[in-house]
Amino acid sequence: GSEMCIRDSTWTVQGQIKEGKYDEFLLVMARLVTLAKSEAGTLMYEWTVSEDKRNVYIYERYQDEDAAKAHLAGWGESGPLFLSVVDMDKVTVFSQLSEEFAQAFAGPSSVFMKPVGGFVKF
């Protein structure tokens, strides 16, 4: 059929932790992780940092587009917090998003990857 297969929404966020803000970064992370944990459709929300504590890479996976939208709805509050400690470099989207939802990611630092094969095991 031509109907799009309903699948999870996955993306990564990469950035640089601002100079001298590492301790503050950890507090912001703890707050955002707590918020994300309460979202039913947030399947994976994993923050990693490089050994020199300069780069952050966040892996996010949502049950479906609605769950992803629910998470992004909190950006009004979480965005300013995040951007106070991180300079965002790149957002890479790994799932097929609806055209309307893709607009939310449109920007110079966004890269859209198109799934071509593979599988997900739950």
Side-chain angles (χ1 to χ4, degrees):
S2 62
E3 74 282 347
M4 210 177 86
C5 114
I6 301 297
R7 50 170 295 154
D8 59 319
S9 292
T10 306
W11 61 79
T12 58
V13 175
Q14 287 164 266
Q16 308 268 323
I17 298 164
K18 294 184 181 187
E19 194 71 59
K21 296 261 186 165
Y22 188 73
D23 292 343
E24 205 181 319
F25 162 82
L26 292 178
L27 294 173
V28 167
M29 177 194 68
R31 169 145 183 71
L32 299 189
V33 167
T34 299
L35 284 171
K37 208 175 247 188
S38 67
E39 300 161 351
T42 300
L43 305 177
M44 189 167 177
Y45 190 66
E46 195 168 65
W47 293 51
T48 59
V49 294
S50 57
E51 268 181 55
D52 63 5
K53 299 180 176 175
R54 291 293 296 161
N55 298 297
V56 57
Y57 197 106
I58 307 167
Y59 187 93
E60 308 185 32
R61 184 172 212 149
Y62 302 90
Q63 201 169 303
D64 50 33
E65 201 163 286
D66 285 342
K69 283 178 181 163
H71 173 80
L72 281 187
W75 184 247
E77 179 193 347
S78 59
L81 272 174
F82 181 71
L83 296 172
S84 71
V85 291
V86 174
D87 291 317
M88 201 145 66
D89 287 335
K90 191 161 119 184
V91 176
T92 307
V93 179
F94 294 100
S95 31
Q96 200 70 60
L97 303 181
S98 70
E99 226 167 282
E100 171 231 353
F101 190 45
Q103 293 300 310
F105 290 91
S109 61
S110 298
V111 177
F112 291 90
M113 304 297 287
K114 201 177 169 72
V116 289
F119 58 86
V120 177
K121 288 186 178 182
F122 288 105

